[in-house]
Amino acid sequence: MQSASINLLSLDRSAMENYFLDMGEKSFRAKQLLQWVYQRKVTRFPEMTDMSKTLRQTLQQNTNLDLPEIVSQQRSTDGTFKWLLKLKDGNCIETVYIPEYERGTLCVSSQVGCGLNCTFCSTARQGFNRNLDVDEIISQVWIANSVLESIGSESIKNKQEKCFVSNVENQRRPVTNVVMMGMGEPLLNFDNVVSAMRLMMDDYSFGLSRRKVTLSTAGMIPAMDQLRQQCPVSLAVSLHAPDNALRDKLVPLNKKYPIGPLLDCCRRYVGENNRRRVTLEYVMLKDINDSPEQARMLAKILSQVPAKVNLIPFNPFPQTRFERSEAETIDRFRDALLAKNIFTVTRTTRGDDIDAACGQLVGDFVDRTSRSRRMQQQTGVFS
């Protein structure tokens, strides 16, 4: 049976208020529906008992609250979860949950595939199909919270699960932080991503604060400026190189938006707020971007940037030519930045045994470009 045409999960509060007003209903119906769906986890209209029977019947006939199908659920030895979610068109995306003590971070996808072609990323090798709709983005948060709350209510004996259980029991819900760092470049799906993030932060929905929602971009400067004006969540930028020549190869978008203007944009994003920082992500690639000289170059260009550097050990995937930097090399790189007063941390790799780590998400979809074939044929770029 074909679903009704309007998925109410695609509407943020403002859009939902307008929808109800157009129906001749009061705008407060939007708050009621948001609470039923996101806080009580109710997706069946007959159960929304503070609405009239007539309204519930109208919603049942003209709208839906359809969610993606969970195709598979994997759990890493470190407690990380990964879901493969099937969308309405048959494409699949991946979503990852990383539990920590009193904190749970959900890595959310924004596109089916990725429209960019960063050479060290497994997602980029798969090509690109389409942008995700608002309902497909926010559904990832809904599904994660629902599944994890169900798991957390069970009796769990495994010692490795203690931090997860503590998080579920001590927090209002398992997902306390969202990072738009899954499949895709979020700023190439600007309107839908912003609407979904507004839903994440709505007090009648998940109620996350702006500092607990982070958007990661490869450096779409005009969209970064637009985000600062419309929805200034926490920002992470994929830097990965201290100079344009190398970044052109690692992140080809750099040819359009090079490092200098990108860092200027980061300064604009933070503005006069001395307590805010942009996170600069830097994947550590053996013999590519991890030398002491490159650490000194990076410290120099960041000397006037309100940022923290997140060093990410490279996570391998099939047919990649890159290797992870040695632990000692990463430590030396970090210490060189710290010595120049650049706040720097090394990210702990999580979920790599289930291919859930940074740069490993691939999903299952039809590539509408020739990207995947081209990238699989490329060799010798760094020779």
Side-chain angles (χ1 to χ4, degrees), residues 28 49 67 103 110 175 223 230 241 254 256 270 305 307 328 357 382:
F28 72 84
T49 52
L67 296 158
R103 173 188 174 109
S110 58
V175 176
Q230 295 189 20
N254 191 72
K256 186 172 184 179
V270 173
V305 180
E328 296 81 2
F382 292 93

Side-chain angles (χ1 to χ4, degrees), residues 240-241 246 250 282-285 287-291 294 333:
H240 308 308
L246 178 57
L250 294 175
Y282 195 100
V283 64
M284 297 298 292
L285 304 169
D287 299 328
I288 300 294
N289 66 351
D290 62 354
S291 72
Q294 287 167 318
F333 198 96

Side-chain angles (χ1 to χ4, degrees), residues 140-157:
Q140 296 172 65
V141 188
W142 194 99
I143 287 171
N145 271 316
S146 182
V147 171
L148 295 169
E149 285 170 0
S150 175
I151 294 173
S153 66
E154 299 172 357
S155 175
I156 301 177
K157 299 178 181 179

Side-chain angles (χ1 to χ4, degrees), residues 102-306:
E102 295 189 345
R103 173 188 174 109
T105 300
L106 189 70
C107 185
V108 171
S109 295
S110 58
Q111 296 181 311
V112 182
C114 185
L116 303 182
N117 56 346
C118 301
T119 55
F120 53 86
C121 180
S122 182
T123 308
R125 294 179 65 91
Q126 307 305 305
F128 173 76
N129 186 281
R130 66 174 176 85
N131 285 331
L132 293 184
D133 295 332
V134 177
D135 60 285
E136 294 168 328
I137 299 171
I138 199 66
S139 289
Q140 296 172 65
V141 188
W142 194 99
I143 287 171
N145 271 316
S146 182
V147 171
L148 295 169
E149 285 170 0
S150 175
I151 294 173
S153 66
E154 299 172 357
S155 175
I156 301 177
K157 299 178 181 179
N158 191 326
K159 292 182 179 180
Q160 292 179 332
E161 298 173 335
K162 281 187 175 180
C163 75
F164 166 69
V165 176
S166 174
N167 180 53
V168 172
E169 292 177 345
N170 293 318
Q171 301 294 330
R172 187 156 61 98
R173 53 181 59 92
V175 176
T176 64
N177 297 66
V178 170
V179 290
M180 299 299 304
M181 295 183 184
M183 297 171 62
E185 164 55 61
L187 292 184
L188 286 176
N189 187 14
F190 187 91
D191 291 340
N192 289 344
V193 166
V194 166
S195 290
M197 292 193 302
R198 285 176 176 157
L199 271 172
M200 296 172 198
M201 296 183 289
D202 196 299
D203 289 340
Y204 292 93
S205 178
F206 296 114
L208 299 176
S209 69
R210 285 180 177 176
R211 65 185 180 85
K212 292 191 175 183
V213 177
T214 300
L215 182 143
S216 177
T217 176
M220 310 289 298
I221 291 178
M224 290 166 63
D225 284 328
Q226 189 178 358
L227 184 69
R228 172 174 55 87
Q229 296 170 353
Q230 295 189 20
C231 190
V233 295
S234 297
L235 182 69
V237 175
S238 297
L239 189 60
H240 308 308
D243 63 274
N244 287 317
L246 178 57
R247 194 167 189 266
D248 283 349
K249 296 178 180 179
L250 294 175
V251 186
L253 182 67
N254 191 72
K255 297 172 184 177
K256 186 172 184 179
Y257 303 120
I259 291 176
L262 179 58
L263 296 182
D264 288 341
C265 183
C266 290
R267 281 188 283 265
R268 288 196 300 275
Y269 196 90
V270 173
E272 301 300 322
N273 189 340
N274 294 328
R275 299 182 61 184
R276 295 193 71 189
R277 297 172 186 256
V278 172
T279 298
L280 297 177
E281 298 164 324
Y282 195 100
V283 64
M284 297 298 292
L285 304 169
K286 184 177 180 180
D287 299 328
I288 300 294
N289 66 351
D290 62 354
S291 72
E293 175 59 26
Q294 287 167 318
R296 288 190 289 271
M297 293 170 61
L298 184 60
K300 183 176 180 179
I301 66 172
L302 298 183
S303 61
Q304 302 299 317
V305 180

